[in-house]
Each structure stands twice: as structure tokens, then as C-alpha cells.
């Protein structure tokens, strides 16, 4: 039965098992609070083991997370931090040194003008050696002048300011190659052609023998000779086993030529296994046979290339490698 005062009697016995509505409400609320706390704790602990990457979800155990953290710690401890700091410091020092040794455009222009004025005093056909000696003499004189400026002995007539004088000394003395490139000054490499003569005094050189069958007298073969002329047969695609065969090819072409066609009267052959030099753009190989024609045959080269020619063509050998001959058509 229900009694007044908001009490509830259970078991049908008045006064026993009496519970108020307030107590029941508190018990229910406490129960739901416990459930909520349990759910929150479960969600919080689960979020530590979930890694989301777009649509893929990968779960890691606590042990795996611990190993990953340990791996990251080891990797960071192995980083060459000192080396990285040293490289950054060196880069900074190099950049600072470059900025401190950069000559102004006005100084560079003056250097170029002085070098050109010095070179104008030479003859037009001066060789590379003389040009280099002249520039080297100017460099030594300029270096002496700048050092005297720094020491206060030549500050009146000099056009340099003291700040740039120190940089110029460094450039002229230690970084001349770099300075030459910056101001656009360049000279071709000096070529030294040395000829070795190990032949005993008084002994004549042995007669050179061409490979293959002997060259007939009608071929008028001339060793170490290169004749010019209009090409009747292009030698790059025309090879013969020997100089005699090349000469015979010239004679055969002249004999078989039709009226009005150019007839061969010059043959030029490359007997060297290493190929033969020529100032054109092509690579001339062993056994090349050129058939040519010239109304008045004229030699391009004979015996040796001159020193002047070799200075202008560094790849040229000292001795002309070709063998040639002028024939008369029959």
C-alpha cells in the first residue's frame, strides 16, 4: 500500500524495506554515471591505438608503440648534428669570404684595359708563348704596385682604393685563374712539339717501306706528301689495300672516264694504321684513297708541318702522314 510522506513499503509489512524516492533516484543516477565513466575510459584507451591514414585504419599495440618511440629516439640520437653544424658554418664562412673578395666592376674593367694596352705593344703575329710572357710580366708589375699601395708607398698615383687593394693582391697572387675567367681573358694552351732524334751521328735514316705491293714508277709516289685538288672519288668511302692499289684506281678511273668527265691525275693515300691528320672536320682512317684532279697539281704539305701550323693545329703531328702521286692519264 502507499503511505503518505512519499514512502514505499515492500513485502506487505509496514515499516520494513522502506525506500524513499530520493534514494532510488540517487542510486539510478550513480549507476548511469559509472556506466558513462567506463565508456569514456574505454574510448580514451582505444584512441591511443588507432592510426588513421585516409580510408585505412591500422591498430597498434602498446608494445609496438613503445618500439616505434624507441626507434625514433635512437634515430635522432644518431644524427650527425656536429657535422651538420660544421657544414653550415663552413657555408657561411665561404659565402662571407666570397662577398669580401669580390672585386668591383670598375676594377675589373681597368684590369682588362691595362692587359689590352700591354698586348697592343706586341706584333700581330706574336706566338702564344710571347703573349703569356707579356701578361705574366704585367701581372707581376701590378702585384708589386698593389702591395706598395697597401704599405702606403704608392697611394698617390694608384687608382685603387685601399679596401680593394687587399682583394686584388689575393686575386693576382692566389686566384689568377679565377680572375682571368671573370674578366674574360683567355689564351690558347701552349703546345710544345718535341722531336726526339736517337739516330747515331752520321747514320742515314732507313728508307721507308710502304705496306703492300711495290708502287709502280708511273705512280710517282711521294712519301709524306699531301696534294690538293678537286675530289674525283671521295676517300672517306673509298679504301684500298695499298698505295699501289690506290694509284691503280686513279689510272683506271682516268682511262674509263667518258668524254667531258673529270679524270683523276692525283692520288692521295693514308698508309698509317693510326689514321692520317687533316685540318678538316673528318676523321681520316687507314687505307683511305682519295682520287683528285687539278690542272696544275700543287702540294698542300710536304715532309713536315711547320711550327706555326702546329701551334694553330695542336693535333697535327710533326711529319705529314700521307703519301701521294701525280700521274699522267694514258
Amino acid at each position: 500500500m502507499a503511505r503518505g510522506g512519499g514512502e514505499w513499503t515492500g513485502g506487505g509489512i509496514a515499516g520494513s524495506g522502506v525506500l524513499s524516492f530520493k534514494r532510488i533516484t540517487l542510486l539510478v543516477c550513480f549507476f548511469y554515471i559509472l556506466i558513462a565513466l567506463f565508456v569514456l575510459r574505454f574510448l580514451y584507451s582505444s584512441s591511443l591505438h588507432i592510426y588513421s591514414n585516409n580510408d585505412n585504419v591500422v591498430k597498434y599495440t602498446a608494445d609496438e608503440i613503445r618500439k616505434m618511440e624507441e626507434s625514433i629516439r635512437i634515430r635522432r640520437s644518431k644524427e650527425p648534428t656536429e657535422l651538420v653544424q660544421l657544414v653550415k658554418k663552413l657555408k657561411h664562412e665561404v659565402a662571407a669570404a666570397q662577398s669580401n673578395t669580390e672585386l668591383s666592376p670598375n676594377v675589373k674593367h681597368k684590369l682588362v684595359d691595362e692587359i689590352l694596352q700591354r698586348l697592343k705593344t706586341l706584333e700581330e703575329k706574336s706566338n702564344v708563348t710571347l703573349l703569356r710572357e707579356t701578361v705574366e710580366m704585367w701581372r707581376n708589375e701590378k702585384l708589386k704596385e698593389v702591395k706598395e699601395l697597401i704599405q702606403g708607398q704608392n697611394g698617390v698615383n694608384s687608382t685603387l682604393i685601399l679596401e680593394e687593394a687587399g682583394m686584388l693582391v689575393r686575386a693576382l697572387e692566389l686566384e689568377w685563374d679565377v680572375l682571368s675567367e671573370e674578366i674574360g681573358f683567355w689564351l690558347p694552351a701552349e703546345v710544345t712539339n718535341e722531336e726526339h732524334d736517337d739516330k747515331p751521328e752520321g747514320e742515314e735514316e732507313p728508307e721507308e717501306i710502304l705496306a703492300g705491293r711495290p708502287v709502280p714508277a708511273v705512280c710517282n709516289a711521294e712519301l709524306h706528301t699531301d696534294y690538293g685538288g678537286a675530289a674525283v672519288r671521295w676517300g672517306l668511302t673509298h679504301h684500298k689495300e695499298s698505295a699501289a692499289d690506290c694509284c691503280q684506281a686513279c689510272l683506271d678511273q682516268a682511262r674509263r672516264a667518258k668524254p667531258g668527265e673529270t679524270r683523276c691525275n692525283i692520288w692521295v693515300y693514308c698508309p698509317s694504321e693510326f689514321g692520317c691528320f687533316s685540318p678538316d672536320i673528318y676523321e681520316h682512317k687507314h687505307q683511305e684513297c682519295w682520287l683528285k684532279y687539278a690542272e696544275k697539281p700543287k702540294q698542300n704539305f710536304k715532309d713536315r708541318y711547320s711550327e706555326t701550323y702546329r701551334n694553330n693545329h695542336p693535333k697535327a703531328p710533326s711529319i705529314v702522314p700521307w703519301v701521294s702521286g701525280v700521274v699522267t692519264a694514258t
Side-chain angles (χ1 to χ4, degrees), residues 266-312:
I266 301 171
W267 59 275
V268 181
Y269 182 75
C270 177
S272 174
E273 295 181 357
F274 304 100
C276 294
F277 168 81
S278 184
D280 55 33
I281 62 174
Y282 304 105
E283 180 183 358
H284 298 276
K285 298 183 179 180
H286 181 215
Q287 296 182 342
E288 275 190 17
C289 176
W290 290 78
L291 307 184
K292 301 181 180 181
Y293 169 80
E295 184 177 354
K296 296 181 179 180
K298 183 179 179 181
Q299 295 174 352
N300 287 334
F301 303 99
K302 178 68 175 176
D303 294 333
R304 295 176 179 271
Y305 295 107
S306 66
E307 182 179 355
T308 303
Y309 183 84
R310 282 182 287 158
N311 287 335
N312 294 329

CSV table of all heavy atoms in Angstrom, one decimal, residues 266-312:
chain,number,residue,atom,x,y,z
A,266,ILE,N,95.6,12.8,-109.7
A,266,ILE,CA,96.3,12.9,-108.4
A,266,ILE,C,95.7,11.8,-107.5
A,266,ILE,O,94.5,11.6,-107.4
A,266,ILE,CB,96.1,14.2,-107.7
A,266,ILE,CG1,96.7,15.3,-108.6
A,266,ILE,CG2,96.8,14.2,-106.3
A,266,ILE,CD1,96.4,16.7,-108.0
A,267,TRP,N,96.5,11.0,-106.8
A,267,TRP,CA,96.0,10.1,-105.8
A,267,TRP,C,96.7,10.4,-104.5
A,267,TRP,O,97.9,10.7,-104.4
A,267,TRP,CB,96.3,8.6,-106.3
A,267,TRP,CG,97.8,8.3,-106.5
A,267,TRP,CD1,98.5,8.5,-107.6
A,267,TRP,CD2,98.7,7.8,-105.5
A,267,TRP,NE1,99.8,8.1,-107.4
A,267,TRP,CE2,100.0,7.6,-106.1
A,267,TRP,CE3,98.6,7.3,-104.2
A,267,TRP,CZ2,101.1,7.2,-105.5
A,267,TRP,CZ3,99.7,6.9,-103.5
A,267,TRP,CH2,100.9,6.8,-104.2
A,268,VAL,N,95.9,10.3,-103.4
A,268,VAL,CA,96.4,10.5,-102.1
A,268,VAL,C,96.0,9.4,-101.2
A,268,VAL,O,94.8,9.1,-101.1
A,268,VAL,CB,95.8,11.9,-101.5
A,268,VAL,CG1,96.4,12.2,-100.1
A,268,VAL,CG2,96.2,13.0,-102.5
A,269,TYR,N,96.9,8.8,-100.5
A,269,TYR,CA,96.6,7.5,-99.7
A,269,TYR,C,97.1,7.7,-98.3
A,269,TYR,O,98.1,8.3,-98.0
A,269,TYR,CB,97.4,6.4,-100.4
A,269,TYR,CG,97.1,5.0,-99.8
A,269,TYR,CD1,95.9,4.4,-99.9
A,269,TYR,CD2,98.1,4.4,-99.0
A,269,TYR,CE1,95.7,3.1,-99.4
A,269,TYR,CE2,97.9,3.2,-98.4
A,269,TYR,CZ,96.7,2.5,-98.6
A,269,TYR,OH,96.5,1.3,-98.1
A,270,CYS,N,96.4,7.1,-97.4
A,270,CYS,CA,96.7,7.1,-95.9
A,270,CYS,C,97.3,5.7,-95.6
A,270,CYS,O,96.5,4.7,-95.4
A,270,CYS,CB,95.5,7.4,-95.1
A,270,CYS,SG,95.9,7.3,-93.3
A,271,PRO,N,98.6,5.6,-95.4
A,271,PRO,CA,99.2,4.3,-95.1
A,271,PRO,C,99.3,4.0,-93.6
A,271,PRO,O,99.7,2.9,-93.2
A,271,PRO,CB,100.6,4.5,-95.7
A,271,PRO,CG,100.9,5.9,-95.5
A,271,PRO,CD,99.7,6.7,-95.6
A,272,SER,N,99.0,5.0,-92.7
A,272,SER,CA,99.2,4.8,-91.3
A,272,SER,C,98.0,4.0,-90.7
A,272,SER,O,96.9,4.3,-90.9
A,272,SER,CB,99.3,6.2,-90.6
A,272,SER,OG,99.4,6.0,-89.2
A,273,GLU,N,98.4,3.1,-89.8
A,273,GLU,CA,97.3,2.3,-89.1
A,273,GLU,C,96.6,3.1,-88.1
A,273,GLU,O,95.5,2.8,-87.7
A,273,GLU,CB,97.9,1.1,-88.4
A,273,GLU,CG,98.5,0.1,-89.4
A,273,GLU,CD,99.1,-1.1,-88.7
A,273,GLU,OE1,99.1,-1.1,-87.4
A,273,GLU,OE2,99.6,-2.1,-89.3
A,274,PHE,N,97.2,4.3,-87.7
A,274,PHE,CA,96.5,5.1,-86.7
A,274,PHE,C,95.7,6.3,-87.4
A,274,PHE,O,95.2,7.1,-86.7
A,274,PHE,CB,97.6,5.8,-85.8
A,274,PHE,CG,98.5,4.7,-85.2
A,274,PHE,CD1,99.7,4.4,-85.7
A,274,PHE,CD2,98.0,4.0,-84.1
A,274,PHE,CE1,100.5,3.5,-85.0
A,274,PHE,CE2,98.8,3.1,-83.4
A,274,PHE,CZ,100.1,2.8,-83.9
A,275,GLY,N,95.6,6.2,-88.7
A,275,GLY,CA,94.9,7.3,-89.4
A,275,GLY,C,95.8,8.4,-89.8
A,275,GLY,O,97.0,8.5,-89.4
A,276,CYS,N,95.3,9.3,-90.5
A,276,CYS,CA,96.1,10.5,-91.1
A,276,CYS,C,95.4,11.8,-90.7
A,276,CYS,O,94.2,11.9,-90.8
A,276,CYS,CB,96.2,10.4,-92.6
A,276,CYS,SG,97.2,8.9,-93.1
A,277,PHE,N,96.2,12.7,-90.3
A,277,PHE,CA,95.7,14.0,-89.9
A,277,PHE,C,95.4,14.9,-91.1
A,277,PHE,O,96.0,14.8,-92.1
A,277,PHE,CB,96.8,14.8,-89.1
A,277,PHE,CG,96.4,16.3,-88.9
A,277,PHE,CD1,95.5,16.6,-87.9
A,277,PHE,CD2,97.0,17.2,-89.7
A,277,PHE,CE1,95.2,18.0,-87.7
A,277,PHE,CE2,96.7,18.6,-89.5
A,277,PHE,CZ,95.8,18.9,-88.5
A,278,SER,N,94.3,15.6,-90.9
A,278,SER,CA,93.9,16.6,-92.0
A,278,SER,C,93.2,17.7,-91.2
A,278,SER,O,92.5,17.5,-90.2
A,278,SER,CB,93.0,16.0,-93.0
A,278,SER,OG,92.7,16.9,-94.0
A,279,PRO,N,93.3,19.0,-91.6
A,279,PRO,CA,92.7,20.1,-90.9
A,279,PRO,C,91.2,20.2,-91.1
A,279,PRO,O,90.6,21.1,-90.5
A,279,PRO,CB,93.4,21.3,-91.5
A,279,PRO,CG,93.8,20.9,-92.9
A,279,PRO,CD,94.2,19.5,-92.8
A,280,ASP,N,90.6,19.3,-91.8
A,280,ASP,CA,89.1,19.4,-91.9
A,280,ASP,C,88.4,18.7,-90.7
A,280,ASP,O,89.1,18.4,-89.8
A,280,ASP,CB,88.7,18.7,-93.2
A,280,ASP,CG,89.1,17.3,-93.4
A,280,ASP,OD1,89.3,16.6,-92.3
A,280,ASP,OD2,89.5,16.8,-94.5
A,281,ILE,N,87.1,18.6,-90.8
A,281,ILE,CA,86.3,18.1,-89.7
A,281,ILE,C,86.2,16.6,-89.6
A,281,ILE,O,85.6,16.1,-88.7
A,281,ILE,CB,84.9,18.7,-89.7
A,281,ILE,CG1,84.2,18.3,-91.0
A,281,ILE,CG2,85.0,20.2,-89.6
A,281,ILE,CD1,82.7,18.7,-91.0
A,282,TYR,N,86.7,15.9,-90.6
A,282,TYR,CA,86.5,14.5,-90.7
A,282,TYR,C,87.7,13.7,-90.0
A,282,TYR,O,88.8,14.2,-89.9
A,282,TYR,CB,86.4,14.0,-92.2
A,282,TYR,CG,85.4,14.8,-93.0
A,282,TYR,CD1,85.7,15.8,-93.9
A,282,TYR,CD2,84.0,14.4,-92.7
A,282,TYR,CE1,84.7,16.4,-94.6
A,282,TYR,CE2,83.0,15.1,-93.4
A,282,TYR,CZ,83.3,16.1,-94.3
A,282,TYR,OH,82.4,16.8,-95.0
A,283,GLU,N,87.4,12.4,-89.7
A,283,GLU,CA,88.4,11.5,-89.1
A,283,GLU,C,88.9,10.6,-90.3
A,283,GLU,O,88.1,9.8,-90.8
A,283,GLU,CB,87.8,10.7,-88.0
A,283,GLU,CG,88.7,9.7,-87.4
A,283,GLU,CD,88.1,8.9,-86.3
A,283,GLU,OE1,86.9,9.1,-86.1
A,283,GLU,OE2,88.8,8.0,-85.8
A,284,HIS,N,90.1,10.8,-90.7
A,284,HIS,CA,90.7,10.1,-91.8
A,284,HIS,C,91.4,8.8,-91.3
A,284,HIS,O,92.3,8.9,-90.5
A,284,HIS,CB,91.6,11.0,-92.6
A,284,HIS,CG,90.9,12.2,-93.2
A,284,HIS,ND1,90.3,12.2,-94.3
A,284,HIS,CD2,90.8,13.4,-92.7
A,284,HIS,CE1,89.8,13.4,-94.6
A,284,HIS,NE2,90.1,14.2,-93.6
A,285,LYS,N,90.9,7.7,-91.8
A,285,LYS,CA,91.4,6.4,-91.3
A,285,LYS,C,92.4,5.7,-92.3
A,285,LYS,O,92.6,6.2,-93.4
A,285,LYS,CB,90.2,5.5,-91.0
A,285,LYS,CG,89.2,6.0,-90.0
A,285,LYS,CD,88.1,5.1,-89.7
A,285,LYS,CE,87.2,5.6,-88.6
A,285,LYS,NZ,86.0,4.7,-88.3
A,286,HIS,N,92.9,4.6,-91.8
A,286,HIS,CA,93.9,3.8,-92.5
A,286,HIS,C,93.3,3.3,-93.9
A,286,HIS,O,92.1,2.9,-93.9
A,286,HIS,CB,94.3,2.6,-91.7
A,286,HIS,CG,95.3,1.7,-92.3
A,286,HIS,ND1,95.3,0.4,-92.1
A,286,HIS,CD2,96.4,2.0,-93.1
A,286,HIS,CE1,96.3,-0.2,-92.8
A,286,HIS,NE2,97.0,0.8,-93.4
A,287,GLN,N,94.1,3.4,-94.9
A,287,GLN,CA,93.8,2.9,-96.3
A,287,GLN,C,92.8,3.8,-97.0
A,287,GLN,O,92.2,3.4,-98.0
A,287,GLN,CB,93.2,1.5,-96.2
A,287,GLN,CG,94.3,0.5,-95.7
A,287,GLN,CD,93.8,-0.9,-95.7
A,287,GLN,OE1,92.6,-1.2,-95.7
A,287,GLN,NE2,94.7,-1.9,-95.6
A,288,GLU,N,92.6,5.0,-96.6
A,288,GLU,CA,91.8,5.9,-97.4
A,288,GLU,C,92.5,6.2,-98.7
A,288,GLU,O,93.7,6.5,-98.7
A,288,GLU,CB,91.5,7.2,-96.6
A,288,GLU,CG,90.4,7.2,-95.6
A,288,GLU,CD,90.0,8.6,-95.1
A,288,GLU,OE1,90.4,9.6,-95.7
A,288,GLU,OE2,89.3,8.6,-94.0
A,289,CYS,N,91.7,6.3,-99.8
A,289,CYS,CA,92.3,6.5,-101.1
A,289,CYS,C,91.5,7.6,-101.7
A,289,CYS,O,90.3,7.4,-102.1
A,289,CYS,CB,92.3,5.2,-101.9
A,289,CYS,SG,92.8,5.5,-103.6
A,290,TRP,N,92.1,8.8,-101.9
A,290,TRP,CA,91.5,9.9,-102.5
A,290,TRP,C,91.9,10.1,-103.9
A,290,TRP,O,93.1,10.1,-104.2
A,290,TRP,CB,91.8,11.2,-101.8
A,290,TRP,CG,91.2,11.3,-100.4
A,290,TRP,CD1,91.6,10.7,-99.3
A,290,TRP,CD2,90.0,12.0,-100.1
A,290,TRP,NE1,90.7,11.0,-98.2
A,290,TRP,CE2,89.7,11.8,-98.7
A,290,TRP,CE3,89.1,12.9,-100.8
A,290,TRP,CZ2,88.7,12.4,-98.0
A,290,TRP,CZ3,88.1,13.5,-100.1
A,290,TRP,CH2,87.8,13.2,-98.7
A,291,LEU,N,91.0,10.2,-104.9
A,291,LEU,CA,91.3,10.4,-106.3
A,291,LEU,C,90.9,11.8,-106.6
A,291,LEU,O,89.8,12.3,-106.3
A,291,LEU,CB,90.5,9.4,-107.2
A,291,LEU,CG,90.6,7.9,-106.8
A,291,LEU,CD1,89.9,7.1,-107.9
A,291,LEU,CD2,92.1,7.5,-106.8
A,292,LYS,N,91.9,12.6,-107.1
A,292,LYS,CA,91.7,14.0,-107.3
A,292,LYS,C,92.1,14.5,-108.7
A,292,LYS,O,92.7,13.7,-109.4
A,292,LYS,CB,92.5,14.8,-106.2
A,292,LYS,CG,92.2,14.5,-104.8
A,292,LYS,CD,93.0,15.4,-103.9
A,292,LYS,CE,92.7,15.1,-102.4
A,292,LYS,NZ,93.5,16.0,-101.5
A,293,TYR,N,91.7,15.7,-109.0
A,293,TYR,CA,92.1,16.3,-110.2
A,293,TYR,C,92.5,17.8,-110.0
A,293,TYR,O,91.8,18.5,-109.3
A,293,TYR,CB,91.0,16.3,-111.3
A,293,TYR,CG,91.3,17.1,-112.5
A,293,TYR,CD1,92.2,16.6,-113.5
A,293,TYR,CD2,90.8,18.4,-112.6
A,293,TYR,CE1,92.5,17.4,-114.6
A,293,TYR,CE2,91.1,19.2,-113.7
A,293,TYR,CZ,92.0,18.7,-114.7
A,293,TYR,OH,92.3,19.5,-115.8
A,294,ALA,N,93.6,18.2,-110.6
A,294,ALA,CA,94.0,19.6,-110.6
A,294,ALA,C,94.7,19.9,-111.9
A,294,ALA,O,95.5,19.1,-112.4
A,294,ALA,CB,94.9,19.9,-109.4
A,295,GLU,N,94.4,21.0,-112.5
A,295,GLU,CA,95.0,21.3,-113.8
A,295,GLU,C,96.5,21.5,-113.6
A,295,GLU,O,97.3,21.1,-114.4
A,295,GLU,CB,94.4,22.6,-114.4
A,295,GLU,CG,94.9,23.0,-115.7
A,295,GLU,CD,94.2,24.2,-116.3
A,295,GLU,OE1,93.2,24.7,-115.7
A,295,GLU,OE2,94.7,24.7,-117.4
A,296,LYS,N,96.9,22.2,-112.5
A,296,LYS,CA,98.3,22.4,-112.1
A,296,LYS,C,98.4,21.8,-110.7
A,296,LYS,O,98.2,22.6,-109.7
A,296,LYS,CB,98.7,23.8,-112.2
A,296,LYS,CG,98.6,24.4,-113.6
A,296,LYS,CD,99.1,25.9,-113.6
A,296,LYS,CE,99.0,26.4,-115.0
A,296,LYS,NZ,99.5,27.9,-115.0
A,297,PRO,N,98.7,20.6,-110.5
A,297,PRO,CA,98.8,20.0,-109.2
A,297,PRO,C,99.8,20.8,-108.3
A,297,PRO,O,100.8,21.2,-108.7
A,297,PRO,CB,99.4,18.6,-109.4
A,297,PRO,CG,98.9,18.3,-110.8
A,297,PRO,CD,99.0,19.6,-111.6
A,298,LYS,N,99.3,20.9,-107.0
A,298,LYS,CA,100.1,21.7,-106.1
A,298,LYS,C,100.0,21.0,-104.7
A,298,LYS,O,99.0,20.5,-104.3
A,298,LYS,CB,99.5,23.1,-105.9
A,298,LYS,CG,100.2,24.0,-105.0
A,298,LYS,CD,99.6,25.4,-104.9
A,298,LYS,CE,100.4,26.3,-104.0
A,298,LYS,NZ,99.7,27.7,-103.9
A,299,GLN,N,101.2,21.0,-104.0
A,299,GLN,CA,101.3,20.3,-102.7
A,299,GLN,C,100.6,21.2,-101.7
A,299,GLN,O,100.9,22.4,-101.6
A,299,GLN,CB,102.7,20.0,-102.4
A,299,GLN,CG,103.4,19.1,-103.3
A,299,GLN,CD,104.9,19.0,-103.0
A,299,GLN,OE1,105.4,19.7,-102.2
A,299,GLN,NE2,105.6,18.0,-103.6
A,300,ASN,N,99.8,20.5,-100.8
A,300,ASN,CA,99.3,21.2,-99.6
A,300,ASN,C,100.4,21.2,-98.5
A,300,ASN,O,100.6,22.2,-97.9
A,300,ASN,CB,98.1,20.5,-99.1
A,300,ASN,CG,96.8,20.7,-100.0
A,300,ASN,OD1,96.8,21.8,-100.6
A,300,ASN,ND2,95.9,19.8,-100.0
A,301,PHE,N,101.0,20.0,-98.3
A,301,PHE,CA,102.0,19.8,-97.3
A,301,PHE,C,103.1,18.9,-97.8
A,301,PHE,O,102.8,17.9,-98.5
A,301,PHE,CB,101.4,19.3,-96.0
A,301,PHE,CG,100.3,20.2,-95.4
A,301,PHE,CD1,99.0,19.8,-95.6
A,301,PHE,CD2,100.6,21.3,-94.7
A,301,PHE,CE1,98.0,20.6,-95.1
A,301,PHE,CE2,99.6,22.1,-94.2
A,301,PHE,CZ,98.3,21.7,-94.4
A,302,LYS,N,104.3,19.1,-97.3
A,302,LYS,CA,105.4,18.2,-97.8
A,302,LYS,C,106.3,18.0,-96.6
A,302,LYS,O,106.8,18.9,-95.9
A,302,LYS,CB,106.2,18.9,-98.9
A,302,LYS,CG,107.4,18.2,-99.4
A,302,LYS,CD,107.0,16.9,-100.1
A,302,LYS,CE,108.3,16.2,-100.7
A,302,LYS,NZ,107.9,14.9,-101.3
A,303,ASP,N,106.6,16.7,-96.3
A,303,ASP,CA,107.6,16.3,-95.3
A,303,ASP,C,107.1,16.6,-93.9
A,303,ASP,O,106.7,15.7,-93.1
A,303,ASP,CB,109.0,16.9,-95.5
A,303,ASP,CG,109.6,16.4,-96.8
A,303,ASP,OD1,109.3,15.2,-97.2
A,303,ASP,OD2,110.4,17.1,-97.4
A,304,ARG,N,107.1,17.9,-93.4
A,304,ARG,CA,106.8,18.2,-92.1
A,304,ARG,C,105.8,19.4,-92.0
A,304,ARG,O,105.9,20.3,-92.9
A,304,ARG,CB,108.0,18.6,-91.2
A,304,ARG,CG,109.0,17.4,-91.0
A,304,ARG,CD,110.3,17.8,-90.3
A,304,ARG,NE,111.2,16.7,-90.1
A,304,ARG,CZ,111.2,15.9,-89.1
A,304,ARG,NH1,110.3,16.1,-88.1
A,304,ARG,NH2,112.0,15.0,-89.0
A,305,TYR,N,105.0,19.4,-91.0
A,305,TYR,CA,104.1,20.5,-90.8
A,305,TYR,C,105.0,21.6,-90.0
A,305,TYR,O,105.7,21.3,-89.1
A,305,TYR,CB,102.9,20.2,-89.9
A,305,TYR,CG,102.0,19.2,-90.6
A,305,TYR,CD1,101.9,17.9,-90.2
A,305,TYR,CD2,101.1,19.6,-91.6
A,305,TYR,CE1,101.0,17.0,-90.8
A,305,TYR,CE2,100.2,18.8,-92.2
A,305,TYR,CZ,100.2,17.4,-91.8
A,305,TYR,OH,99.3,16.6,-92.4
A,306,SER,N,104.8,22.8,-90.4
A,306,SER,CA,105.6,23.9,-89.8
A,306,SER,C,105.2,24.1,-88.4
A,306,SER,O,104.1,23.7,-87.9
A,306,SER,CB,105.5,25.2,-90.6
A,306,SER,OG,104.1,25.7,-90.5
A,307,GLU,N,106.1,24.7,-87.6
A,307,GLU,CA,105.9,25.0,-86.2
A,307,GLU,C,104.7,25.9,-86.0
A,307,GLU,O,103.8,25.8,-85.1
A,307,GLU,CB,107.1,25.6,-85.5
A,307,GLU,CG,106.9,25.9,-84.1
A,307,GLU,CD,108.2,26.5,-83.4
A,307,GLU,OE1,109.2,26.6,-84.1
A,307,GLU,OE2,108.1,26.9,-82.3
A,308,THR,N,104.6,26.9,-86.9
A,308,THR,CA,103.4,27.9,-86.9
A,308,THR,C,102.1,27.1,-87.1
A,308,THR,O,101.1,27.3,-86.4
A,308,THR,CB,103.6,29.0,-87.9
A,308,THR,OG1,104.8,29.6,-87.7
A,308,THR,CG2,102.4,30.0,-87.8
A,309,TYR,N,102.1,26.2,-88.1
A,309,TYR,CA,100.9,25.4,-88.4
A,309,TYR,C,100.5,24.5,-87.2
A,309,TYR,O,99.4,24.5,-86.8
A,309,TYR,CB,101.2,24.6,-89.6
A,309,TYR,CG,100.0,23.8,-90.0
A,309,TYR,CD1,99.0,24.4,-90.8
A,309,TYR,CD2,99.8,22.4,-89.6
A,309,TYR,CE1,97.9,23.6,-91.2
A,309,TYR,CE2,98.7,21.7,-90.0
A,309,TYR,CZ,97.7,22.3,-90.8
A,309,TYR,OH,96.6,21.6,-91.2
A,310,ARG,N,101.5,23.9,-86.5
A,310,ARG,CA,101.2,23.1,-85.4
A,310,ARG,C,100.7,23.9,-84.2
A,310,ARG,O,99.9,23.4,-83.4
A,310,ARG,CB,102.4,22.2,-85.0
A,310,ARG,CG,102.6,21.0,-86.0
A,310,ARG,CD,103.8,20.2,-85.6
A,310,ARG,NE,105.0,20.9,-85.9
A,310,ARG,CZ,106.2,20.6,-85.3
A,310,ARG,NH1,106.3,19.7,-84.3
A,310,ARG,NH2,107.3,21.3,-85.7
A,311,ASN,N,101.2,25.1,-84.1
A,311,ASN,CA,100.7,26.0,-83.0
A,311,ASN,C,99.2,26.3,-83.2
A,311,ASN,O,98.4,26.3,-82.2
A,311,ASN,CB,101.5,27.3,-82.9
A,311,ASN,CG,102.8,27.1,-82.3
A,311,ASN,OD1,103.1,26.1,-81.6
A,311,ASN,ND2,103.8,27.9,-82.7
A,312,ASN,N,98.8,26.4,-84.4
A,312,ASN,CA,97.4,26.7,-84.8
A,312,ASN,C,96.6,25.4,-84.8
A,312,ASN,O,95.3,25.5,-84.7
A,312,ASN,CB,97.3,27.4,-86.1
A,312,ASN,CG,97.9,28.8,-86.1
A,312,ASN,OD1,97.9,29.5,-85.0
A,312,ASN,ND2,98.5,29.3,-87.2
